[in-house]
Amino acid sequence: MLQQDEFMNLSKMSFDVSEEQSLILDQVDRVCKEIRPIEDECYLQRRINDRVRPVFSKAHLLGLPVSRKYGDGQGADMVTYALAIERVGREGTGLRTFFSVHMALCEMTVQHWGSEEQKDRYLTPATRGDSIFAFGLTEPNAGSDPASLTTYFEESGGKFLLTGQKMWISLGSTADRVLVFAYPKGKKEGMCGFIVDTKSPGFRAELIRHKLGLPTADTSTLYLDRVEVPKEDMLGPRGKGMSVALSGLMNGRLSVAAGCVGVMQDCLDEAVRYAGVRVQHGKPIGRHQLVQRHIGLMSTNLEAARLLLLEAAFTKQKYEESPRSAELRDATDIAISKAKYFAANASFDAANRAVQVFGANGYTFESRPARHLADTRVTMIYEGTNEIMEQKIALGALGKDFAAYS
Ligand SMILES: Cc1cc2nc3c(=O)[nH]c(=O)nc-3n(C[C@H](O)[C@H](O)[C@H](O)COP(=O)(O)OP(=O)(O)OC[C@H]3O[C@@H](n4cnc5c(N)ncnc54)[C@H](O)[C@@H]3O)c2cc1C
């Protein structure tokens, strides 16, 4: 007999937020409230929100998942990190993209793969917002198949020289450093990762305009013409660039999933609020059963997405604690893919339903549902399209022998 109580509780699972988590989440909430009017204004003017860096760095929130050894690193575990990004996601996918790229795709990747010297030199200022990261994998002809990229490096005078073009790079025009992936010149194997200084001669960034959504976020094309990178700025072991990139994408997907849960929460909150005040046929529309159906579905999907997110974050945390376990890595990859896949689709559905509840008042970017509808669409594309996620998840069930490509 383990205990004398009438019932046993042997479960380790807890959905309660601890006191320490509350402190961090309250701080994130406060800063999100501070940034909202700025983000609103930028959205309607369709200009990049350049206040994200100063506002969040002042609150010491740009190194959330980074060890306390480095600068403003907060040492947050993956569940706390996911809950924080969920809160940011409520403010919009444009704002949340900043965190996914700087912290998940880049800081966490440098933390995992970087040398101690690289961490001191690049991670420390990044956590303080003194230096912002971007992640340069995609190219005009290499998206879902990053192995087909053509950016290459040469070695000369003890340095690397990088040449090529990267496309659809978030924060590309504002970042101070970009993680760039390239092959040795003339080869299609042995990909390497590099930390590239965007002020280097030969580096140029150009904003991509007329996007469907994310008007407040910087998305850019990068041009590299024999950009010099010091020998010590190769990231990860030589030839392991693909593993570096894939581990970054895994972190990024967790962050996308969290952001989508935040979008769903905001859509639900907005729909509930509006359904309570908008009167048609003599009563608030929230009393009409077909409107209730939208709200019931949004609420159910939100809980399902949040549970998948928490499971993915828990699994990722276990993997963080045993980074050599290939089994945990694969389990994490699948759990995160499921969370991202489900939350991306469900957030688009939630935004669509929220627009429907708002009627014409949801057909203007003055309303939050309209912005979410335009902005969350990208989550079915970036950091692994829906189709790539479906294949990954299916292979988790079928086994790797069923892979359509390597
Ligand atoms: C706003 C925005 C921000 C971005 N930020 C970044 C960033 O910061 N860094 C970065 O490196 N990249 C970034 N990307 C790029 C993004 O990761 C790619 O767009 C994504 O990987 C898909 O590549 P693609 O667009 O070239 O589509 P493609 O790979 O050309 O795919 C086109 C279609 O074909 C499908 N498809 C492709 N291969 C298969 C297959 N084997 N089986 C079934 N279907 C398949 C896809 O699912 C998709 O539906 C960003 C993109 C956007 C839109």
PDB file of all heavy atoms in Angstrom, residues 8-44:
ATOM      1  N   MET A   8      -5.695   7.000  -4.511  1.00  0.00           N
ATOM      2  CA  MET A   8      -4.282   7.261  -4.777  1.00  0.00           C
ATOM      3  C   MET A   8      -4.175   8.275  -5.910  1.00  0.00           C
ATOM      4  O   MET A   8      -5.044   8.333  -6.762  1.00  0.00           O
ATOM      5  CB  MET A   8      -3.593   5.977  -5.237  1.00  0.00           C
ATOM      6  CG  MET A   8      -3.383   4.986  -4.145  1.00  0.00           C
ATOM      7  SD  MET A   8      -2.321   3.684  -4.728  1.00  0.00           S
ATOM      8  CE  MET A   8      -3.396   2.758  -5.776  1.00  0.00           C
ATOM      9  N   ASN A   9      -3.082   9.034  -5.900  1.00  0.00           N
ATOM     10  CA  ASN A   9      -2.770   9.835  -7.083  1.00  0.00           C
ATOM     11  C   ASN A   9      -1.313   9.588  -7.406  1.00  0.00           C
ATOM     12  O   ASN A   9      -0.418  10.188  -6.824  1.00  0.00           O
ATOM     13  CB  ASN A   9      -3.032  11.324  -6.821  1.00  0.00           C
ATOM     14  CG  ASN A   9      -2.726  12.130  -8.062  1.00  0.00           C
ATOM     15  OD1 ASN A   9      -2.362  11.564  -9.096  1.00  0.00           O
ATOM     16  ND2 ASN A   9      -2.873  13.446  -7.981  1.00  0.00           N
ATOM     17  N   LEU A  10      -1.095   8.674  -8.319  1.00  0.00           N
ATOM     18  CA  LEU A  10       0.288   8.315  -8.672  1.00  0.00           C
ATOM     19  C   LEU A  10       0.740   9.038  -9.928  1.00  0.00           C
ATOM     20  O   LEU A  10       1.829   8.820 -10.417  1.00  0.00           O
ATOM     21  CB  LEU A  10       0.387   6.801  -8.886  1.00  0.00           C
ATOM     22  CG  LEU A  10      -0.034   5.953  -7.690  1.00  0.00           C
ATOM     23  CD1 LEU A  10       0.129   4.478  -8.009  1.00  0.00           C
ATOM     24  CD2 LEU A  10       0.782   6.303  -6.456  1.00  0.00           C
ATOM     25  N   SER A  11      -0.127   9.884 -10.456  1.00  0.00           N
ATOM     26  CA  SER A  11       0.207  10.550 -11.721  1.00  0.00           C
ATOM     27  C   SER A  11       1.215  11.666 -11.480  1.00  0.00           C
ATOM     28  O   SER A  11       1.090  12.428 -10.522  1.00  0.00           O
ATOM     29  CB  SER A  11      -1.056  11.135 -12.329  1.00  0.00           C
ATOM     30  OG  SER A  11      -0.709  11.990 -13.373  1.00  0.00           O
ATOM     31  N   LYS A  12       2.187  11.758 -12.388  1.00  0.00           N
ATOM     32  CA  LYS A  12       3.157  12.858 -12.291  1.00  0.00           C
ATOM     33  C   LYS A  12       2.671  14.055 -13.094  1.00  0.00           C
ATOM     34  O   LYS A  12       3.265  15.104 -13.099  1.00  0.00           O
ATOM     35  CB  LYS A  12       4.513  12.387 -12.845  1.00  0.00           C
ATOM     36  CG  LYS A  12       5.296  11.564 -11.849  1.00  0.00           C
ATOM     37  CD  LYS A  12       6.756  11.513 -12.212  1.00  0.00           C
ATOM     38  CE  LYS A  12       6.960  10.695 -13.471  1.00  0.00           C
ATOM     39  NZ  LYS A  12       8.300  10.632 -13.962  1.00  0.00           N
ATOM     40  N   MET A  13       1.616  13.826 -13.864  1.00  0.00           N
ATOM     41  CA  MET A  13       1.169  14.889 -14.764  1.00  0.00           C
ATOM     42  C   MET A  13       0.477  15.998 -13.974  1.00  0.00           C
ATOM     43  O   MET A  13      -0.339  15.730 -13.112  1.00  0.00           O
ATOM     44  CB  MET A  13       0.199  14.293 -15.782  1.00  0.00           C
ATOM     45  CG  MET A  13      -0.056  15.199 -16.944  1.00  0.00           C
ATOM     46  SD  MET A  13      -1.238  14.446 -18.071  1.00  0.00           S
ATOM     47  CE  MET A  13      -0.231  13.248 -18.869  1.00  0.00           C
ATOM     48  N   SER A  14       0.854  17.228 -14.293  1.00  0.00           N
ATOM     49  CA  SER A  14       0.193  18.349 -13.625  1.00  0.00           C
ATOM     50  C   SER A  14      -0.013  19.465 -14.630  1.00  0.00           C
ATOM     51  O   SER A  14       0.879  19.768 -15.412  1.00  0.00           O
ATOM     52  CB  SER A  14       1.068  18.847 -12.481  1.00  0.00           C
ATOM     53  OG  SER A  14       0.622  20.112 -12.069  1.00  0.00           O
ATOM     54  N   PHE A  15      -1.178  20.057 -14.626  1.00  0.00           N
ATOM     55  CA  PHE A  15      -1.432  21.176 -15.531  1.00  0.00           C
ATOM     56  C   PHE A  15      -1.353  22.507 -14.780  1.00  0.00           C
ATOM     57  O   PHE A  15      -1.659  23.550 -15.328  1.00  0.00           O
ATOM     58  CB  PHE A  15      -2.802  21.014 -16.195  1.00  0.00           C
ATOM     59  CG  PHE A  15      -2.853  19.816 -17.102  1.00  0.00           C
ATOM     60  CD1 PHE A  15      -3.446  18.636 -16.683  1.00  0.00           C
ATOM     61  CD2 PHE A  15      -2.278  19.861 -18.355  1.00  0.00           C
ATOM     62  CE1 PHE A  15      -3.473  17.520 -17.511  1.00  0.00           C
ATOM     63  CE2 PHE A  15      -2.298  18.746 -19.184  1.00  0.00           C
ATOM     64  CZ  PHE A  15      -2.901  17.569 -18.758  1.00  0.00           C
ATOM     65  N   ASP A  16      -0.959  22.427 -13.507  1.00  0.00           N
ATOM     66  CA  ASP A  16      -0.874  23.672 -12.735  1.00  0.00           C
ATOM     67  C   ASP A  16       0.385  24.440 -13.131  1.00  0.00           C
ATOM     68  O   ASP A  16       1.431  23.854 -13.373  1.00  0.00           O
ATOM     69  CB  ASP A  16      -0.790  23.354 -11.235  1.00  0.00           C
ATOM     70  CG  ASP A  16      -2.058  22.683 -10.746  1.00  0.00           C
ATOM     71  OD1 ASP A  16      -3.107  22.896 -11.386  1.00  0.00           O
ATOM     72  OD2 ASP A  16      -1.984  21.945  -9.749  1.00  0.00           O
ATOM     73  N   VAL A  17       0.239  25.741 -13.160  1.00  0.00           N
ATOM     74  CA  VAL A  17       1.403  26.599 -13.435  1.00  0.00           C
ATOM     75  C   VAL A  17       2.055  26.902 -12.091  1.00  0.00           C
ATOM     76  O   VAL A  17       1.378  27.284 -11.135  1.00  0.00           O
ATOM     77  CB  VAL A  17       0.930  27.894 -14.141  1.00  0.00           C
ATOM     78  CG1 VAL A  17       2.074  28.875 -14.290  1.00  0.00           C
ATOM     79  CG2 VAL A  17       0.334  27.566 -15.499  1.00  0.00           C
ATOM     80  N   SER A  18       3.383  26.667 -12.004  1.00  0.00           N
ATOM     81  CA  SER A  18       4.068  26.891 -10.725  1.00  0.00           C
ATOM     82  C   SER A  18       4.247  28.387 -10.466  1.00  0.00           C
ATOM     83  O   SER A  18       4.044  29.219 -11.355  1.00  0.00           O
ATOM     84  CB  SER A  18       5.450  26.223 -10.765  1.00  0.00           C
ATOM     85  OG  SER A  18       6.271  26.941 -11.652  1.00  0.00           O
ATOM     86  N   GLU A  19       4.677  28.683  -9.237  1.00  0.00           N
ATOM     87  CA  GLU A  19       4.877  30.094  -8.873  1.00  0.00           C
ATOM     88  C   GLU A  19       5.943  30.749  -9.752  1.00  0.00           C
ATOM     89  O   GLU A  19       5.782  31.880 -10.205  1.00  0.00           O
ATOM     90  CB  GLU A  19       5.328  30.151  -7.418  1.00  0.00           C
ATOM     91  CG  GLU A  19       4.665  31.248  -6.618  1.00  0.00           C
ATOM     92  CD  GLU A  19       4.991  31.077  -5.152  1.00  0.00           C
ATOM     93  OE1 GLU A  19       4.343  30.232  -4.489  1.00  0.00           O
ATOM     94  OE2 GLU A  19       5.916  31.756  -4.709  1.00  0.00           O
ATOM     95  N   GLU A  20       7.040  29.984  -9.993  1.00  0.00           N
ATOM     96  CA  GLU A  20       8.129  30.539 -10.828  1.00  0.00           C
ATOM     97  C   GLU A  20       7.641  30.766 -12.255  1.00  0.00           C
ATOM     98  O   GLU A  20       7.977  31.775 -12.879  1.00  0.00           O
ATOM     99  CB  GLU A  20       9.339  29.584 -10.864  1.00  0.00           C
ATOM    100  CG  GLU A  20      10.079  29.440  -9.569  1.00  0.00           C
ATOM    101  CD  GLU A  20       9.597  28.224  -8.779  1.00  0.00           C
ATOM    102  OE1 GLU A  20       8.380  27.932  -8.819  1.00  0.00           O
ATOM    103  OE2 GLU A  20      10.436  27.571  -8.144  1.00  0.00           O
ATOM    104  N   GLN A  21       6.847  29.814 -12.760  1.00  0.00           N
ATOM    105  CA  GLN A  21       6.310  29.987 -14.122  1.00  0.00           C
ATOM    106  C   GLN A  21       5.407  31.220 -14.164  1.00  0.00           C
ATOM    107  O   GLN A  21       5.453  31.999 -15.104  1.00  0.00           O
ATOM    108  CB  GLN A  21       5.508  28.753 -14.547  1.00  0.00           C
ATOM    109  CG  GLN A  21       6.368  27.587 -14.992  1.00  0.00           C
ATOM    110  CD  GLN A  21       5.535  26.357 -15.315  1.00  0.00           C
ATOM    111  OE1 GLN A  21       4.581  26.028 -14.611  1.00  0.00           O
ATOM    112  NE2 GLN A  21       5.898  25.665 -16.373  1.00  0.00           N
ATOM    113  N   SER A  22       4.605  31.379 -13.123  1.00  0.00           N
ATOM    114  CA  SER A  22       3.688  32.532 -13.083  1.00  0.00           C
ATOM    115  C   SER A  22       4.453  33.845 -13.164  1.00  0.00           C
ATOM    116  O   SER A  22       4.025  34.776 -13.846  1.00  0.00           O
ATOM    117  CB  SER A  22       2.882  32.555 -11.782  1.00  0.00           C
ATOM    118  OG  SER A  22       1.965  31.546 -11.791  1.00  0.00           O
ATOM    119  N   LEU A  23       5.603  33.895 -12.471  1.00  0.00           N
ATOM    120  CA  LEU A  23       6.381  35.145 -12.484  1.00  0.00           C
ATOM    121  C   LEU A  23       6.796  35.498 -13.907  1.00  0.00           C
ATOM    122  O   LEU A  23       6.649  36.640 -14.357  1.00  0.00           O
ATOM    123  CB  LEU A  23       7.642  34.987 -11.626  1.00  0.00           C
ATOM    124  CG  LEU A  23       7.453  35.041 -10.112  1.00  0.00           C
ATOM    125  CD1 LEU A  23       8.770  34.792  -9.399  1.00  0.00           C
ATOM    126  CD2 LEU A  23       6.865  36.391  -9.707  1.00  0.00           C
ATOM    127  N   ILE A  24       7.294  34.472 -14.625  1.00  0.00           N
ATOM    128  CA  ILE A  24       7.735  34.710 -16.006  1.00  0.00           C
ATOM    129  C   ILE A  24       6.531  35.050 -16.886  1.00  0.00           C
ATOM    130  O   ILE A  24       6.546  36.009 -17.663  1.00  0.00           O
ATOM    131  CB  ILE A  24       8.481  33.470 -16.557  1.00  0.00           C
ATOM    132  CG1 ILE A  24       9.781  33.263 -15.785  1.00  0.00           C
ATOM    133  CG2 ILE A  24       8.760  33.611 -18.055  1.00  0.00           C
ATOM    134  CD1 ILE A  24      10.594  32.054 -16.203  1.00  0.00           C
ATOM    135  N   LEU A  25       5.454  34.283 -16.737  1.00  0.00           N
ATOM    136  CA  LEU A  25       4.294  34.485 -17.615  1.00  0.00           C
ATOM    137  C   LEU A  25       3.625  35.845 -17.350  1.00  0.00           C
ATOM    138  O   LEU A  25       3.138  36.494 -18.279  1.00  0.00           O
ATOM    139  CB  LEU A  25       3.299  33.334 -17.461  1.00  0.00           C
ATOM    140  CG  LEU A  25       3.857  31.964 -17.897  1.00  0.00           C
ATOM    141  CD1 LEU A  25       2.854  30.852 -17.637  1.00  0.00           C
ATOM    142  CD2 LEU A  25       4.260  31.963 -19.372  1.00  0.00           C
ATOM    143  N   ASP A  26       3.631  36.284 -16.086  1.00  0.00           N
ATOM    144  CA  ASP A  26       3.068  37.609 -15.777  1.00  0.00           C
ATOM    145  C   ASP A  26       3.889  38.706 -16.451  1.00  0.00           C
ATOM    146  O   ASP A  26       3.354  39.699 -16.948  1.00  0.00           O
ATOM    147  CB  ASP A  26       3.054  37.860 -14.264  1.00  0.00           C
ATOM    148  CG  ASP A  26       1.988  37.021 -13.579  1.00  0.00           C
ATOM    149  OD1 ASP A  26       1.163  36.411 -14.289  1.00  0.00           O
ATOM    150  OD2 ASP A  26       1.999  36.963 -12.331  1.00  0.00           O
ATOM    151  N   GLN A  27       5.196  38.494 -16.433  1.00  0.00           N
ATOM    152  CA  GLN A  27       6.089  39.471 -17.067  1.00  0.00           C
ATOM    153  C   GLN A  27       5.836  39.517 -18.585  1.00  0.00           C
ATOM    154  O   GLN A  27       5.757  40.583 -19.192  1.00  0.00           O
ATOM    155  CB  GLN A  27       7.556  39.066 -16.766  1.00  0.00           C
ATOM    156  CG  GLN A  27       8.624  39.796 -17.514  1.00  0.00           C
ATOM    157  CD  GLN A  27       8.904  41.150 -16.885  1.00  0.00           C
ATOM    158  OE1 GLN A  27       8.001  41.770 -16.323  1.00  0.00           O
ATOM    159  NE2 GLN A  27      10.131  41.607 -16.992  1.00  0.00           N
ATOM    160  N   VAL A  28       5.681  38.328 -19.193  1.00  0.00           N
ATOM    161  CA  VAL A  28       5.406  38.269 -20.640  1.00  0.00           C
ATOM    162  C   VAL A  28       4.071  38.952 -20.929  1.00  0.00           C
ATOM    163  O   VAL A  28       3.942  39.742 -21.873  1.00  0.00           O
ATOM    164  CB  VAL A  28       5.386  36.798 -21.136  1.00  0.00           C
ATOM    165  CG1 VAL A  28       5.018  36.731 -22.612  1.00  0.00           C
ATOM    166  CG2 VAL A  28       6.732  36.131 -20.905  1.00  0.00           C
ATOM    167  N   ASP A  29       3.096  38.695 -20.086  1.00  0.00           N
ATOM    168  CA  ASP A  29       1.765  39.286 -20.260  1.00  0.00           C
ATOM    169  C   ASP A  29       1.839  40.823 -20.199  1.00  0.00           C
ATOM    170  O   ASP A  29       1.255  41.524 -21.021  1.00  0.00           O
ATOM    171  CB  ASP A  29       0.836  38.742 -19.164  1.00  0.00           C
ATOM    172  CG  ASP A  29      -0.581  39.258 -19.320  1.00  0.00           C
ATOM    173  OD1 ASP A  29      -1.177  38.989 -20.374  1.00  0.00           O
ATOM    174  OD2 ASP A  29      -1.088  39.932 -18.392  1.00  0.00           O
ATOM    175  N   ARG A  30       2.605  41.301 -19.242  1.00  0.00           N
ATOM    176  CA  ARG A  30       2.731  42.763 -19.071  1.00  0.00           C
ATOM    177  C   ARG A  30       3.357  43.393 -20.323  1.00  0.00           C
ATOM    178  O   ARG A  30       2.876  44.402 -20.838  1.00  0.00           O
ATOM    179  CB  ARG A  30       3.622  43.042 -17.840  1.00  0.00           C
ATOM    180  CG  ARG A  30       3.638  44.474 -17.386  1.00  0.00           C
ATOM    181  CD  ARG A  30       4.601  44.685 -16.231  1.00  0.00           C
ATOM    182  NE  ARG A  30       5.993  44.369 -16.517  1.00  0.00           N
ATOM    183  CZ  ARG A  30       6.780  45.026 -17.368  1.00  0.00           C
ATOM    184  NH1 ARG A  30       6.308  46.072 -18.022  1.00  0.00           N
ATOM    185  NH2 ARG A  30       8.027  44.651 -17.574  1.00  0.00           N
ATOM    186  N   VAL A  31       4.405  42.744 -20.831  1.00  0.00           N
ATOM    187  CA  VAL A  31       5.093  43.320 -21.991  1.00  0.00           C
ATOM    188  C   VAL A  31       4.221  43.193 -23.247  1.00  0.00           C
ATOM    189  O   VAL A  31       4.218  44.087 -24.103  1.00  0.00           O
ATOM    190  CB  VAL A  31       6.481  42.656 -22.186  1.00  0.00           C
ATOM    191  CG1 VAL A  31       7.230  43.310 -23.324  1.00  0.00           C
ATOM    192  CG2 VAL A  31       7.288  42.757 -20.921  1.00  0.00           C
ATOM    193  N   CYS A  32       3.464  42.105 -23.339  1.00  0.00           N
ATOM    194  CA  CYS A  32       2.556  41.950 -24.489  1.00  0.00           C
ATOM    195  C   CYS A  32       1.515  43.068 -24.488  1.00  0.00           C
ATOM    196  O   CYS A  32       1.161  43.606 -25.542  1.00  0.00           O
ATOM    197  CB  CYS A  32       1.855  40.589 -24.448  1.00  0.00           C
ATOM    198  SG  CYS A  32       2.930  39.254 -24.990  1.00  0.00           S
ATOM    199  N   LYS A  33       1.040  43.426 -23.298  1.00  0.00           N
ATOM    200  CA  LYS A  33       0.050  44.521 -23.214  1.00  0.00           C
ATOM    201  C   LYS A  33       0.698  45.840 -23.626  1.00  0.00           C
ATOM    202  O   LYS A  33       0.060  46.691 -24.239  1.00  0.00           O
ATOM    203  CB  LYS A  33      -0.515  44.611 -21.802  1.00  0.00           C
ATOM    204  CG  LYS A  33      -1.504  43.485 -21.529  1.00  0.00           C
ATOM    205  CD  LYS A  33      -2.049  43.552 -20.117  1.00  0.00           C
ATOM    206  CE  LYS A  33      -3.056  42.439 -19.912  1.00  0.00           C
ATOM    207  NZ  LYS A  33      -2.996  41.875 -18.553  1.00  0.00           N
ATOM    208  N   GLU A  34       1.972  45.996 -23.278  1.00  0.00           N
ATOM    209  CA  GLU A  34       2.678  47.232 -23.634  1.00  0.00           C
ATOM    210  C   GLU A  34       2.876  47.337 -25.157  1.00  0.00           C
ATOM    211  O   GLU A  34       2.748  48.399 -25.743  1.00  0.00           O
ATOM    212  CB  GLU A  34       4.041  47.238 -22.915  1.00  0.00           C
ATOM    213  CG  GLU A  34       4.824  48.514 -23.112  1.00  0.00           C
ATOM    214  CD  GLU A  34       6.189  48.450 -22.426  1.00  0.00           C
ATOM    215  OE1 GLU A  34       6.378  47.639 -21.487  1.00  0.00           O
ATOM    216  OE2 GLU A  34       7.083  49.220 -22.858  1.00  0.00           O
ATOM    217  N   ILE A  35       3.148  46.199 -25.785  1.00  0.00           N
ATOM    218  CA  ILE A  35       3.469  46.241 -27.226  1.00  0.00           C
ATOM    219  C   ILE A  35       2.190  46.301 -28.078  1.00  0.00           C
ATOM    220  O   ILE A  35       2.241  46.723 -29.236  1.00  0.00           O
ATOM    221  CB  ILE A  35       4.356  45.026 -27.633  1.00  0.00           C
ATOM    222  CG1 ILE A  35       5.134  45.290 -28.946  1.00  0.00           C
ATOM    223  CG2 ILE A  35       3.573  43.744 -27.781  1.00  0.00           C
ATOM    224  CD1 ILE A  35       6.405  46.002 -28.787  1.00  0.00           C
ATOM    225  N   ARG A  36       1.039  45.911 -27.531  1.00  0.00           N
ATOM    226  CA  ARG A  36      -0.171  45.791 -28.365  1.00  0.00           C
ATOM    227  C   ARG A  36      -0.523  47.074 -29.135  1.00  0.00           C
ATOM    228  O   ARG A  36      -0.727  47.013 -30.347  1.00  0.00           O
ATOM    229  CB  ARG A  36      -1.360  45.307 -27.551  1.00  0.00           C
ATOM    230  CG  ARG A  36      -2.597  45.131 -28.438  1.00  0.00           C
ATOM    231  CD  ARG A  36      -3.753  44.502 -27.727  1.00  0.00           C
ATOM    232  NE  ARG A  36      -3.585  43.072 -27.576  1.00  0.00           N
ATOM    233  CZ  ARG A  36      -4.591  42.222 -27.324  1.00  0.00           C
ATOM    234  NH1 ARG A  36      -5.811  42.680 -27.192  1.00  0.00           N
ATOM    235  NH2 ARG A  36      -4.370  40.933 -27.203  1.00  0.00           N
ATOM    236  N   PRO A  37      -0.573  48.246 -28.474  1.00  0.00           N
ATOM    237  CA  PRO A  37      -0.940  49.441 -29.251  1.00  0.00           C
ATOM    238  C   PRO A  37       0.077  49.752 -30.355  1.00  0.00           C
ATOM    239  O   PRO A  37      -0.291  50.251 -31.426  1.00  0.00           O
ATOM    240  CB  PRO A  37      -0.999  50.568 -28.221  1.00  0.00           C
ATOM    241  CG  PRO A  37      -0.413  50.023 -26.967  1.00  0.00           C
ATOM    242  CD  PRO A  37      -0.419  48.536 -27.043  1.00  0.00           C
ATOM    243  N   ILE A  38       1.344  49.428 -30.108  1.00  0.00           N
ATOM    244  CA  ILE A  38       2.386  49.691 -31.120  1.00  0.00           C
ATOM    245  C   ILE A  38       2.177  48.740 -32.300  1.00  0.00           C
ATOM    246  O   ILE A  38       2.228  49.147 -33.470  1.00  0.00           O
ATOM    247  CB  ILE A  38       3.801  49.507 -30.511  1.00  0.00           C
ATOM    248  CG1 ILE A  38       3.965  50.372 -29.264  1.00  0.00           C
ATOM    249  CG2 ILE A  38       4.878  49.814 -31.541  1.00  0.00           C
ATOM    250  CD1 ILE A  38       5.218  50.071 -28.447  1.00  0.00           C
ATOM    251  N   GLU A  39       1.925  47.478 -31.988  1.00  0.00           N
ATOM    252  CA  GLU A  39       1.698  46.480 -33.034  1.00  0.00           C
ATOM    253  C   GLU A  39       0.437  46.845 -33.844  1.00  0.00           C
ATOM    254  O   GLU A  39       0.431  46.746 -35.075  1.00  0.00           O
ATOM    255  CB  GLU A  39       1.566  45.088 -32.394  1.00  0.00           C
ATOM    256  CG  GLU A  39       1.319  43.931 -33.344  1.00  0.00           C
ATOM    257  CD  GLU A  39       2.519  43.548 -34.211  1.00  0.00           C
ATOM    258  OE1 GLU A  39       3.620  44.094 -34.035  1.00  0.00           O
ATOM    259  OE2 GLU A  39       2.325  42.699 -35.108  1.00  0.00           O
ATOM    260  N   ASP A  40      -0.601  47.297 -33.150  1.00  0.00           N
ATOM    261  CA  ASP A  40      -1.852  47.707 -33.825  1.00  0.00           C
ATOM    262  C   ASP A  40      -1.565  48.802 -34.849  1.00  0.00           C
ATOM    263  O   ASP A  40      -2.004  48.744 -35.989  1.00  0.00           O
ATOM    264  CB  ASP A  40      -2.858  48.274 -32.807  1.00  0.00           C
ATOM    265  CG  ASP A  40      -3.599  47.179 -32.069  1.00  0.00           C
ATOM    266  OD1 ASP A  40      -3.473  45.997 -32.460  1.00  0.00           O
ATOM    267  OD2 ASP A  40      -4.287  47.501 -31.079  1.00  0.00           O
ATOM    268  N   GLU A  41      -0.822  49.796 -34.386  1.00  0.00           N
ATOM    269  CA  GLU A  41      -0.533  50.941 -35.257  1.00  0.00           C
ATOM    270  C   GLU A  41       0.298  50.498 -36.467  1.00  0.00           C
ATOM    271  O   GLU A  41       0.006  50.848 -37.604  1.00  0.00           O
ATOM    272  CB  GLU A  41       0.224  51.993 -34.440  1.00  0.00           C
ATOM    273  CG  GLU A  41       0.392  53.320 -35.156  1.00  0.00           C
ATOM    274  CD  GLU A  41       1.242  54.274 -34.317  1.00  0.00           C
ATOM    275  OE1 GLU A  41       1.022  54.387 -33.096  1.00  0.00           O
ATOM    276  OE2 GLU A  41       2.159  54.885 -34.906  1.00  0.00           O
ATOM    277  N   CYS A  42       1.324  49.693 -36.201  1.00  0.00           N
ATOM    278  CA  CYS A  42       2.187  49.216 -37.296  1.00  0.00           C
ATOM    279  C   CYS A  42       1.366  48.385 -38.281  1.00  0.00           C
ATOM    280  O   CYS A  42       1.553  48.485 -39.495  1.00  0.00           O
ATOM    281  CB  CYS A  42       3.340  48.375 -36.760  1.00  0.00           C
ATOM    282  SG  CYS A  42       4.520  49.307 -35.809  1.00  0.00           S
ATOM    283  N   TYR A  43       0.463  47.567 -37.748  1.00  0.00           N
ATOM    284  CA  TYR A  43      -0.313  46.683 -38.626  1.00  0.00           C
ATOM    285  C   TYR A  43      -1.134  47.509 -39.612  1.00  0.00           C
ATOM    286  O   TYR A  43      -1.132  47.253 -40.824  1.00  0.00           O
ATOM    287  CB  TYR A  43      -1.241  45.759 -37.810  1.00  0.00           C
ATOM    288  CG  TYR A  43      -1.615  44.518 -38.599  1.00  0.00           C
ATOM    289  CD1 TYR A  43      -1.021  43.294 -38.327  1.00  0.00           C
ATOM    290  CD2 TYR A  43      -2.520  44.584 -39.665  1.00  0.00           C
ATOM    291  CE1 TYR A  43      -1.327  42.158 -39.058  1.00  0.00           C
ATOM    292  CE2 TYR A  43      -2.831  43.450 -40.408  1.00  0.00           C
ATOM    293  CZ  TYR A  43      -2.228  42.244 -40.097  1.00  0.00           C
ATOM    294  OH  TYR A  43      -2.516  41.131 -40.851  1.00  0.00           O
ATOM    295  N   LEU A  44      -1.816  48.522 -39.085  1.00  0.00           N
ATOM    296  CA  LEU A  44      -2.700  49.299 -39.966  1.00  0.00           C
ATOM    297  C   LEU A  44      -1.885  50.138 -40.952  1.00  0.00           C
ATOM    298  O   LEU A  44      -2.322  50.399 -42.067  1.00  0.00           O
ATOM    299  CB  LEU A  44      -3.650  50.165 -39.139  1.00  0.00           C
ATOM    300  CG  LEU A  44      -4.652  49.326 -38.320  1.00  0.00           C
ATOM    301  CD1 LEU A  44      -5.533  50.198 -37.437  1.00  0.00           C
ATOM    302  CD2 LEU A  44      -5.520  48.443 -39.227  1.00  0.00           C
TER     303      LEU A  44
END
